[in-house]
Amino acid sequence: MNKQETIRRMKLFLFDLDGTLYLGEQLYPFTTELLRRIRETGGRSLYMTNNSSKSVEDYIRKLERLGISATREDFITSAQATAWYLQQNHSGKTLYVCGTESLKQELREAGFRVTEDPEDAQCIVMGFDTELTFKKLHDVSWLLSTRDIPYIATNPDYVCPTEFGSVPDCGSVCDMIYNATKKRPLVIGKPEPLMPQLAMERLGIAAEQAVCIGDRIYTDIRSGLNAG
């Protein structure tokens, strides 16, 4: 079977967003036609992003600005996967979130209490925090140095692509925390298999008919391989 025949057999296309379908506020020239062709041939596209700095609603608005219509059902994000993991393993725990207000709101909507007071925290969640402060770094370091509580990261990416190059992502901040505490988080997002597994389960599509597409071998592609 040649490559074109293999692609035609695929039913689910799991696309990374940043650096794959667009860069910053610039849609790549091929994106609209690619998504249209997948729809016309009976395929299904989902947007599978590690970027937890934005909520699904934020992403819907961004894609609309770029000329792509989307609904909540079109996304599987590291924030959603983290909320699912927490529901399965740490239900009812109060979270200290080193992340954006959008990430905090996603976790609240999933039923969790989010605290700004480290004294109240029962679990730490690290995200891609475009609103990072030294207080958050201090609080997480204090918690990891004084308590034995779950420590979870939405994604391990060291950088996030931008129009001018890159900016530090969640993995870089987790390395800073490691240098201070010698603690590493449990990672939920790509390259772990949970996100593609949740997507395939949601749509009832087998791994043999799903493909992951992204700009990074160590997260996007490895996640697909890990999910079969």
Side-chain angles (χ1 to χ4, degrees), residues 128 155-161 166-172 216 218:
F128 173 32
N155 63 295
D157 300 69
Y158 285 116
V159 296
C160 181
S166 300
V167 294
D169 205 327
C170 182
S172 293
R216 292 186 184 165
Y218 78 93

Side-chain angles (χ1 to χ4, degrees), residues 79-91:
Q80 291 174 319
T82 298
W84 182 91
Y85 174 85
L86 290 168
Q87 288 167 339
Q88 302 303 309
N89 296 278
H90 301 294
S91 178

Side-chain angles (χ1 to χ4, degrees), residues 55 100-112 114:
S55 67
T100 62
E101 287 302 316
S102 288
L103 174 58
K104 293 176 184 178
Q105 186 58 31
E106 289 263 316
L107 295 170
R108 290 188 191 102
E109 290 174 2
F112 290 93
V114 176

Side-chain angles (χ1 to χ4, degrees), residues 173-193:
V173 177
C174 289
D175 273 5
M176 292 169 58
I177 296 297
Y178 174 78
N179 289 336
T181 68
K182 302 307 177 189
K183 300 286 181 65
R184 293 284 190 192
L186 172 71
V187 174
I188 301 299
K190 301 176 285 186
E192 298 305 315

Side-chain angles (χ1 to χ4, degrees), residues 132-139:
L132 184 64
T133 64
F134 187 81
K135 180 182 184 303
K136 292 179 183 178
L137 298 175
H138 175 278
D139 289 349

Side-chain angles (χ1 to χ4, degrees), residues 91-173:
S91 178
K93 282 189 168 63
T94 298
L95 310 179
Y96 186 94
V97 180
C98 187
T100 62
E101 287 302 316
S102 288
L103 174 58
K104 293 176 184 178
Q105 186 58 31
E106 289 263 316
L107 295 170
R108 290 188 191 102
E109 290 174 2
F112 290 93
R113 178 173 177 264
V114 176
T115 183
E116 306 296 322
D117 184 354
E119 293 279 1
D120 293 337
Q122 298 171 306
C123 181
I124 301 166
V125 177
M126 302 290 291
F128 173 32
D129 193 357
T130 58
E131 301 158 8
L132 184 64
T133 64
F134 187 81
K135 180 182 184 303
K136 292 179 183 178
L137 298 175
H138 175 278
D139 289 349
V140 170
S141 297
W142 178 79
L143 281 165
L144 291 174
S145 298
T146 61
R147 295 186 185 179
D148 182 18
I149 63 175
Y151 175 37
I152 293 154
T154 60
N155 63 295
D157 300 69
Y158 285 116
V159 296
C160 181
T162 70
E163 297 94 333
F164 63 81
S166 300
V167 294
D169 205 327
C170 182
S172 293
V173 177

